[in-house]
């Protein structure tokens, strides 16, 4: 959603935030984009058989009411952000995270034909936790632009440029594969600690949830001088540092 609220209108003091619920994979995150605009997203487990959670088939007006029903009583300014967002400014689609990645570039071994490079979600969809999918899309655009610039030389023929570009793309593809593994591992860790998953009706899932819930409670009472370096280390890992 795109809320017409600036820093002066909400209680976040210009900071981004992300809040996890206890069930249905519920999450809500918001980020100030300009002095008078906040971008936010919410996730919830989709249920084809329950009209209360079938967001994809809901009308634009019903979708907003469903969001308020689910998130309106969460902490400030979540309800305010949803209410201030125009119905037609709320987009809805499936949030899909892939655990396997194909080839980032279709490159002929004979160095013939065009080069097709995929970027962002067209290449690899990650869980929207920490907005890393958006960040990867920006990284891809910057990397591809730098790659083309570095390959191009004034005296280079088209054929020479294509051969050189293919080699650079292959190298970039390998580096990105390592980068995405870091993102996937960091995302899985954050998701596990912040929001237990699984079916609590099973014994194994119940035990797992008890362990994770215990970990979450312990984290609440962990002092900042322990949490801050641990969080910073995880973020450095997630960006491949």
């Amino acid at each position: 959603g795109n809320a017409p609220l600036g820093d002066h209108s909400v209680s976040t003091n210009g900071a981004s935030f992300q809040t996890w619920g206890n069930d249905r994979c519920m999450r809500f995150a918001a980020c100030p984009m300009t002095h008078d605009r906040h971008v936010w997203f919410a996730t919830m487990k989709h249920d084809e058989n329950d009209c209360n959670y079938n967001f994809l088939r809901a009308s634009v007006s019903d979708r907003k009411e469903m969001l308020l029903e689910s998130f309106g009583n969460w902490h400030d300014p979540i309800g305010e952000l949803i209410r201030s967002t125009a119905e037609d400014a709320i987009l809805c689609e499936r949030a899909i995270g892939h655990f396997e990645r194909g080839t980032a570039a279709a490159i002929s071994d004979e160095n013939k034909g065009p080069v097709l490079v995929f970027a962002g979600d067209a290449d690899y969809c990650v869980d929207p936790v920490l907005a890393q999918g958006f960040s990867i899309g920006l990284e891809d655009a910057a990397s591809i632009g730098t790659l083309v610039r570095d390959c191009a030389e004034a005296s280079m023929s088209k054929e020479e440029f294509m051969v050189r570009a293919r080699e650079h793309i292959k190298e970039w593809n390998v580096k990105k594969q390592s980068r995405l593994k870091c993102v996937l591992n960091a995302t899985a860790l954050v998701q596990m600690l912040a929001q237990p998953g699984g079916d609590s009706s099973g014994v194994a899932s119940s035990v797992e949830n008890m362990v994770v819930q215990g970990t979450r409670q312990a984290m609440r009472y962990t002092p900042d001088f322990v949490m801050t370096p641990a969080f910073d280390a995880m973020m450095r890992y997630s960006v491949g540092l």
Side-chain angles (χ1 to χ4, degrees), residues 147 150-151 163-173:
L147 184 150
D150 292 346
C151 288
V163 170
R164 190 171 182 180
R166 284 184 173 87
E167 294 303 317
H168 280 238
I169 291 172
K170 289 178 180 178
E171 294 176 3
W172 171 70
N173 187 32

Side-chain angles (χ1 to χ4, degrees), residues 27 42-44 56 93-97 125-128:
R27 284 173 292 181
T43 64
M44 179 182 292
L56 295 176
E93 60 183 21
R94 293 184 183 276
I96 301 174
C125 293
V126 298
D127 191 286

